[in-house]
Amino acid sequence: MDKEFENILNSRNVPEAPGNLAYRIIEAAKQKPKTQAAGSVSGPFWDMFAEMFILPKPAVALALALLVGLTLGFGSMNPAEVQLQDLSSLLQIEDEFYTGDFS
Amino acid sequence: MADLDQESDESLMGRVQRGDHQAFSGLVTRHTNMFYAAAYRMCGHEQEAEDIVQDAFLKLWNKPEVWNENKGAKFTTWFYRVVTNQALDYMRRRKKTAGSEALDLMPDENLRADEVLAEKQEGYEVERAIQALSDRQKVALNLCFYEGLSNKDAAKVMGVGVKALESLLMRAKQGLKDELLRSGVLTEEKGRRYG
């Protein structure tokens, strides 16, 4: 049956390409200005520079950034402590201001 | 043009990268028929196959820098990939806008069964069975069976591993056999119903 199966697959008919298809493609390319040739004002250096910021897999990058952010967030001090510390540093400045001791 | 005929695809592609339109014409003239046939086998639609080949070549002309000879791939293998991706895009888009293709493959219902030539009917059944495969199975079958690419090259074209390609190929053949057996084109004992 395998041979017959292959024969059937081989008998598949494919229409010939239209005679002018190649010509049409060549002409269409003539009409279409090349993006490169159209003179990218930026030039190769700026192209390379811009490429540095292109993320190959934005979804993966976003997920990783979220993960790192969450890990760092949970790892840091608790918010109440942070707030206390911030206030105390403010008070210290105020204190120095009133005593006029800037030395 | 005589010089162009003797120049390798890879060398012509190098010239295309320098904006040489004559080299581009050489590549198009040389390969249009082959890639048209490949595109047609994938999508089963003449107009769509023309568009696929034209878009693929225009992409190549517009962005020739995507070809990198140093990667060691043959131009044709690489261009199969461009055409295949283009074809998959077209097929995906077509699926979204409902099965217009199915209508193209339908036999004329006004014809009486005995008026339909057996061979034509068989051709229709084979085409219908192939088009019923999943897009990726269809592409795998076309690249390996009709285009004669090695499994390794076909896997490269499709961007999958060789094992994955072999599995796609196996499922495509099995699906096709089942479908042809069901439609009676292929019979277990005799092989074929017609002929």
Side-chain angles (χ1 to χ4, degrees), chain A residues 39-67:
Chain A
S40 52
V41 200
S42 44
F45 171 77
W46 290 110
D47 286 348
M48 273 170 61
F49 185 73
E51 271 172 23
M52 282 165 47
F53 296 96
I54 294 172
L55 295 172
K57 290 185 176 173
V60 177
L62 185 67
L64 273 176
L66 267 173
L67 195 70

mmCIF file of all heavy atoms in Angstrom, chain A residues 39-67:
data_model
loop_
_atom_site.group_PDB
_atom_site.id
_atom_site.type_symbol
_atom_site.label_atom_id
_atom_site.label_comp_id
_atom_site.label_asym_id
_atom_site.label_seq_id
_atom_site.Cartn_x
_atom_site.Cartn_y
_atom_site.Cartn_z
ATOM 1 N N GLY A 39 17.843 55.640 1.747
ATOM 2 C CA GLY A 39 18.699 56.515 2.528
ATOM 3 C C GLY A 39 18.232 56.672 3.944
ATOM 4 O O GLY A 39 17.549 57.627 4.279
ATOM 5 N N SER A 40 18.572 55.701 4.758
ATOM 6 C CA SER A 40 18.196 55.847 6.151
ATOM 7 C C SER A 40 19.085 56.920 6.738
ATOM 8 O O SER A 40 20.307 56.802 6.711
ATOM 9 C CB SER A 40 18.350 54.519 6.897
ATOM 10 O OG SER A 40 19.624 54.016 6.674
ATOM 11 N N VAL A 41 18.463 57.991 7.191
ATOM 12 C CA VAL A 41 19.219 59.135 7.680
ATOM 13 C C VAL A 41 20.049 58.724 8.883
ATOM 14 O O VAL A 41 21.101 59.280 9.155
ATOM 15 C CB VAL A 41 18.241 60.269 8.091
ATOM 16 C CG1 VAL A 41 18.958 61.596 8.141
ATOM 17 C CG2 VAL A 41 17.064 60.326 7.134
ATOM 18 N N SER A 42 19.535 57.701 9.575
ATOM 19 C CA SER A 42 20.172 57.322 10.828
ATOM 20 C C SER A 42 21.584 56.756 10.634
ATOM 21 O O SER A 42 22.471 57.059 11.398
ATOM 22 C CB SER A 42 19.296 56.300 11.538
ATOM 23 O OG SER A 42 18.836 55.354 10.624
ATOM 24 N N GLY A 43 21.790 55.927 9.628
ATOM 25 C CA GLY A 43 23.101 55.340 9.401
ATOM 26 C C GLY A 43 23.346 54.134 10.270
ATOM 27 O O GLY A 43 22.593 53.891 11.212
ATOM 28 N N PRO A 44 24.410 53.375 9.954
ATOM 29 C CA PRO A 44 24.638 52.112 10.651
ATOM 30 C C PRO A 44 24.870 52.246 12.154
ATOM 31 O O PRO A 44 24.424 51.419 12.918
ATOM 32 C CB PRO A 44 25.876 51.544 9.963
ATOM 33 C CG PRO A 44 26.333 52.551 8.989
ATOM 34 C CD PRO A 44 25.359 53.664 8.928
ATOM 35 N N PHE A 45 25.573 53.320 12.592
ATOM 36 C CA PHE A 45 25.854 53.453 14.020
ATOM 37 C C PHE A 45 24.553 53.566 14.821
ATOM 38 O O PHE A 45 24.341 52.871 15.807
ATOM 39 C CB PHE A 45 26.732 54.676 14.299
ATOM 40 C CG PHE A 45 26.854 54.967 15.778
ATOM 41 C CD1 PHE A 45 27.692 54.186 16.575
ATOM 42 C CD2 PHE A 45 26.089 55.965 16.378
ATOM 43 C CE1 PHE A 45 27.779 54.420 17.939
ATOM 44 C CE2 PHE A 45 26.176 56.201 17.738
ATOM 45 C CZ PHE A 45 27.026 55.429 18.521
ATOM 46 N N TRP A 46 23.678 54.461 14.333
ATOM 47 C CA TRP A 46 22.415 54.673 15.061
ATOM 48 C C TRP A 46 21.520 53.446 14.967
ATOM 49 O O TRP A 46 20.758 53.169 15.879
ATOM 50 C CB TRP A 46 21.705 55.926 14.542
ATOM 51 C CG TRP A 46 22.465 57.154 14.944
ATOM 52 C CD1 TRP A 46 23.164 57.983 14.129
ATOM 53 C CD2 TRP A 46 22.659 57.643 16.282
ATOM 54 N NE1 TRP A 46 23.773 58.969 14.860
ATOM 55 C CE2 TRP A 46 23.484 58.784 16.198
ATOM 56 C CE3 TRP A 46 22.215 57.228 17.537
ATOM 57 C CZ2 TRP A 46 23.860 59.518 17.315
ATOM 58 C CZ3 TRP A 46 22.594 57.957 18.657
ATOM 59 C CH2 TRP A 46 23.414 59.094 18.541
ATOM 60 N N ASP A 47 21.645 52.723 13.828
ATOM 61 C CA ASP A 47 20.869 51.477 13.702
ATOM 62 C C ASP A 47 21.307 50.499 14.787
ATOM 63 O O ASP A 47 20.499 49.872 15.457
ATOM 64 C CB ASP A 47 21.092 50.831 12.321
ATOM 65 C CG ASP A 47 20.358 51.616 11.248
ATOM 66 O OD1 ASP A 47 19.528 52.469 11.599
ATOM 67 O OD2 ASP A 47 20.637 51.376 10.046
ATOM 68 N N MET A 48 22.646 50.407 14.949
ATOM 69 C CA MET A 48 23.187 49.485 15.959
ATOM 70 C C MET A 48 22.773 49.922 17.360
ATOM 71 O O MET A 48 22.431 49.117 18.219
ATOM 72 C CB MET A 48 24.710 49.441 15.874
ATOM 73 C CG MET A 48 25.225 48.420 14.875
ATOM 74 S SD MET A 48 26.986 48.590 14.600
ATOM 75 C CE MET A 48 27.633 48.288 16.212
ATOM 76 N N PHE A 49 22.815 51.235 17.559
ATOM 77 C CA PHE A 49 22.446 51.784 18.857
ATOM 78 C C PHE A 49 20.984 51.465 19.174
ATOM 79 O O PHE A 49 20.650 51.041 20.279
ATOM 80 C CB PHE A 49 22.676 53.302 18.839
ATOM 81 C CG PHE A 49 22.451 53.955 20.167
ATOM 82 C CD1 PHE A 49 23.378 53.770 21.197
ATOM 83 C CD2 PHE A 49 21.342 54.736 20.402
ATOM 84 C CE1 PHE A 49 23.179 54.361 22.434
ATOM 85 C CE2 PHE A 49 21.132 55.337 21.627
ATOM 86 C CZ PHE A 49 22.061 55.154 22.653
ATOM 87 N N ALA A 50 20.142 51.653 18.164
ATOM 88 C CA ALA A 50 18.706 51.380 18.358
ATOM 89 C C ALA A 50 18.478 49.899 18.613
ATOM 90 O O ALA A 50 17.635 49.524 19.431
ATOM 91 C CB ALA A 50 17.924 51.831 17.141
ATOM 92 N N GLU A 51 19.276 49.070 17.930
ATOM 93 C CA GLU A 51 19.112 47.623 18.096
ATOM 94 C C GLU A 51 19.394 47.162 19.528
ATOM 95 O O GLU A 51 18.889 46.145 19.977
ATOM 96 C CB GLU A 51 20.029 46.875 17.124
ATOM 97 C CG GLU A 51 19.354 46.625 15.778
ATOM 98 C CD GLU A 51 20.304 46.069 14.749
ATOM 99 O OE1 GLU A 51 21.333 45.474 15.143
ATOM 100 O OE2 GLU A 51 20.040 46.242 13.549
ATOM 101 N N MET A 52 20.259 47.947 20.227
ATOM 102 C CA MET A 52 20.591 47.581 21.600
ATOM 103 C C MET A 52 19.360 47.587 22.504
ATOM 104 O O MET A 52 19.309 46.947 23.538
ATOM 105 C CB MET A 52 21.641 48.545 22.162
ATOM 106 C CG MET A 52 23.031 48.250 21.672
ATOM 107 S SD MET A 52 24.182 49.602 21.963
ATOM 108 C CE MET A 52 23.871 50.045 23.633
ATOM 109 N N PHE A 53 18.356 48.373 22.112
ATOM 110 C CA PHE A 53 17.175 48.510 22.966
ATOM 111 C C PHE A 53 16.025 47.607 22.525
ATOM 112 O O PHE A 53 14.952 47.644 23.095
ATOM 113 C CB PHE A 53 16.711 49.967 22.984
ATOM 114 C CG PHE A 53 17.735 50.872 23.610
ATOM 115 C CD1 PHE A 53 18.635 51.575 22.823
ATOM 116 C CD2 PHE A 53 17.822 50.980 24.985
ATOM 117 C CE1 PHE A 53 19.596 52.388 23.391
ATOM 118 C CE2 PHE A 53 18.780 51.790 25.567
ATOM 119 C CZ PHE A 53 19.679 52.496 24.772
ATOM 120 N N ILE A 54 16.280 46.848 21.494
ATOM 121 C CA ILE A 54 15.208 45.963 21.027
ATOM 122 C C ILE A 54 15.225 44.688 21.855
ATOM 123 O O ILE A 54 16.260 44.019 21.967
ATOM 124 C CB ILE A 54 15.369 45.632 19.527
ATOM 125 C CG1 ILE A 54 15.183 46.902 18.708
ATOM 126 C CG2 ILE A 54 14.351 44.576 19.099
ATOM 127 C CD1 ILE A 54 15.492 46.744 17.245
ATOM 128 N N LEU A 55 14.103 44.386 22.455
ATOM 129 C CA LEU A 55 14.008 43.158 23.251
ATOM 130 C C LEU A 55 13.616 42.020 22.324
ATOM 131 O O LEU A 55 12.588 42.101 21.658
ATOM 132 C CB LEU A 55 12.945 43.311 24.341
ATOM 133 C CG LEU A 55 13.237 44.352 25.414
ATOM 134 C CD1 LEU A 55 12.013 44.522 26.309
ATOM 135 C CD2 LEU A 55 14.427 43.945 26.259
ATOM 136 N N PRO A 56 14.437 40.974 22.263
ATOM 137 C CA PRO A 56 14.092 39.874 21.371
ATOM 138 C C PRO A 56 12.791 39.182 21.783
ATOM 139 O O PRO A 56 12.021 38.767 20.959
ATOM 140 C CB PRO A 56 15.282 38.920 21.479
ATOM 141 C CG PRO A 56 16.030 39.331 22.684
ATOM 142 C CD PRO A 56 15.679 40.757 22.980
ATOM 143 N N LYS A 57 12.582 39.091 23.120
ATOM 144 C CA LYS A 57 11.339 38.458 23.584
ATOM 145 C C LYS A 57 10.723 39.334 24.668
ATOM 146 O O LYS A 57 10.967 39.138 25.866
ATOM 147 C CB LYS A 57 11.637 37.057 24.125
ATOM 148 C CG LYS A 57 12.024 36.101 23.021
ATOM 149 C CD LYS A 57 12.196 34.708 23.520
ATOM 150 C CE LYS A 57 12.492 33.770 22.366
ATOM 151 N NZ LYS A 57 12.818 32.441 22.779
ATOM 152 N N PRO A 58 9.944 40.318 24.262
ATOM 153 C CA PRO A 58 9.413 41.284 25.226
ATOM 154 C C PRO A 58 8.618 40.621 26.350
ATOM 155 O O PRO A 58 8.704 41.042 27.504
ATOM 156 C CB PRO A 58 8.500 42.172 24.396
ATOM 157 C CG PRO A 58 8.864 41.922 22.990
ATOM 158 C CD PRO A 58 9.485 40.582 22.905
ATOM 159 N N ALA A 59 7.867 39.590 26.031
ATOM 160 C CA ALA A 59 7.035 38.948 27.052
ATOM 161 C C ALA A 59 7.908 38.323 28.145
ATOM 162 O O ALA A 59 7.634 38.460 29.333
ATOM 163 C CB ALA A 59 6.148 37.900 26.411
ATOM 164 N N VAL A 60 8.989 37.669 27.714
ATOM 165 C CA VAL A 60 9.897 37.030 28.671
ATOM 166 C C VAL A 60 10.575 38.098 29.521
ATOM 167 O O VAL A 60 10.704 37.965 30.743
ATOM 168 C CB VAL A 60 10.952 36.180 27.923
ATOM 169 C CG1 VAL A 60 11.950 35.574 28.897
ATOM 170 C CG2 VAL A 60 10.278 35.075 27.121
ATOM 171 N N ALA A 61 11.001 39.188 28.867
ATOM 172 C CA ALA A 61 11.683 40.265 29.577
ATOM 173 C C ALA A 61 10.763 40.879 30.632
ATOM 174 O O ALA A 61 11.175 41.143 31.766
ATOM 175 C CB ALA A 61 12.143 41.329 28.592
ATOM 176 N N LEU A 62 9.504 41.075 30.255
ATOM 177 C CA LEU A 62 8.537 41.661 31.180
ATOM 178 C C LEU A 62 8.300 40.742 32.373
ATOM 179 O O LEU A 62 8.291 41.181 33.531
ATOM 180 C CB LEU A 62 7.217 41.925 30.447
ATOM 181 C CG LEU A 62 6.137 42.639 31.256
ATOM 182 C CD1 LEU A 62 6.558 44.072 31.557
ATOM 183 C CD2 LEU A 62 4.807 42.635 30.515
ATOM 184 N N ALA A 63 8.154 39.458 32.088
ATOM 185 C CA ALA A 63 7.921 38.489 33.160
ATOM 186 C C ALA A 63 9.116 38.450 34.106
ATOM 187 O O ALA A 63 8.952 38.418 35.333
ATOM 188 C CB ALA A 63 7.662 37.113 32.562
ATOM 189 N N LEU A 64 10.325 38.483 33.540
ATOM 190 C CA LEU A 64 11.534 38.456 34.363
ATOM 191 C C LEU A 64 11.631 39.709 35.233
ATOM 192 O O LEU A 64 11.956 39.640 36.418
ATOM 193 C CB LEU A 64 12.773 38.350 33.478
ATOM 194 C CG LEU A 64 13.189 36.926 33.110
ATOM 195 C CD1 LEU A 64 14.371 36.967 32.148
ATOM 196 C CD2 LEU A 64 13.591 36.157 34.373
ATOM 197 N N ALA A 65 11.338 40.861 34.612
ATOM 198 C CA ALA A 65 11.407 42.127 35.352
ATOM 199 C C ALA A 65 10.426 42.100 36.522
ATOM 200 O O ALA A 65 10.745 42.541 37.625
ATOM 201 C CB ALA A 65 11.101 43.288 34.428
ATOM 202 N N LEU A 66 9.237 41.580 36.264
ATOM 203 C CA LEU A 66 8.227 41.475 37.328
ATOM 204 C C LEU A 66 8.713 40.579 38.466
ATOM 205 O O LEU A 66 8.579 40.895 39.637
ATOM 206 C CB LEU A 66 6.935 40.900 36.756
ATOM 207 C CG LEU A 66 5.904 41.926 36.291
ATOM 208 C CD1 LEU A 66 4.751 41.242 35.589
ATOM 209 C CD2 LEU A 66 5.370 42.698 37.501
ATOM 210 N N LEU A 67 9.288 39.451 38.068
ATOM 211 C CA LEU A 67 9.775 38.476 39.040
ATOM 212 C C LEU A 67 10.865 39.081 39.912
ATOM 213 O O LEU A 67 10.842 38.969 41.143
ATOM 214 C CB LEU A 67 10.303 37.246 38.291
ATOM 215 C CG LEU A 67 10.529 36.002 39.133
ATOM 216 C CD1 LEU A 67 9.200 35.424 39.581
ATOM 217 C CD2 LEU A 67 11.288 34.944 38.327
#
